[in-house]
Amino acid sequence: MSHINVTINGRQYRMACEEGQEVRLLKLAESLETRVESLRGKFGEIGDARLTVMAALTVCDELLDANHRIRALEEELEALRKVRVAATDRARVTQTAVANALNAAADRIEKTTQMLNRTIGGGVAIG
């Protein structure tokens, strides 16, 4: 387990994280610090705790919106998968129908060829 110091709202906090996650934790803290600074710019000095809570609520709001968007995209993806399966099934049915039609046409051509061969072969020989 690693420990790093992060600064949020002008205060340093010693945080523990898994090995290799130090840079990520620093970026998360920087993002929260940016939000706190932005809120301070909008609302002025309204208290450290209140600024931190407002920044956390902003993050939660974005997370909630992102989760809704993810769910909507997952539903859209599932619908597209169903459309793809239906299209594949239709293509398979069409392919089978075309193959059957070609086989039937080949059978008719073969029968017509046999009939012509009998007709021509059974006719009067010239010579």
Side-chain angles (χ1 to χ4, degrees):
M1 176 108 18
S2 291
H3 290 85
I4 61 169
N5 291 322
V6 298
T7 303
I8 298 171
N9 198 20
R11 294 189 179 170
Q12 280 207 352
Y13 299 92
R14 184 162 174 79
M15 306 294 291
C17 64
E18 293 180 19
E19 294 290 331
Q21 294 297 313
E22 299 86 358
V23 172
R24 180 174 174 82
L25 183 55
L26 284 170
K27 287 183 179 180
L28 291 170
E30 287 173 13
S31 175
L32 183 57
E33 176 66 14
T34 300
R35 290 169 193 277
V36 169
E37 299 265 337
S38 174
L39 290 169
R40 181 179 287 118
K42 289 180 185 175
F43 300 108
E45 290 296 329
I46 58 172
D48 293 345
R50 191 168 181 190
L51 278 172
T52 304
V53 168
M54 288 174 69
L57 289 173
T58 302
V59 170
C60 288
D61 183 51
E62 289 178 10
L63 179 60
L64 187 62
D65 287 346
N67 283 334
H68 285 299
R69 180 78 175 127
I70 288 169
R71 269 190 237 105
L73 289 171
E74 287 173 341
E75 288 171 5
E76 183 179 343
L77 179 61
E78 183 60 28
L80 289 172
R81 284 182 177 147
K82 288 178 181 177
V83 167
R84 185 192 71 204
V85 167
T88 300
D89 290 345
R90 281 192 308 271
R92 193 173 297 121
V93 167
T94 301
Q95 183 180 13
T96 300
V98 168
N100 289 340
L102 289 174
N103 286 335
D107 287 344
R108 286 192 306 273
I109 291 170
E110 181 65 29
K111 288 178 184 175
T112 302
T113 302
Q114 289 172 0
M115 188 174 22
L116 286 172
N117 283 339
R118 279 194 300 268
T119 302
I120 295 172
V124 176
I126 304 176

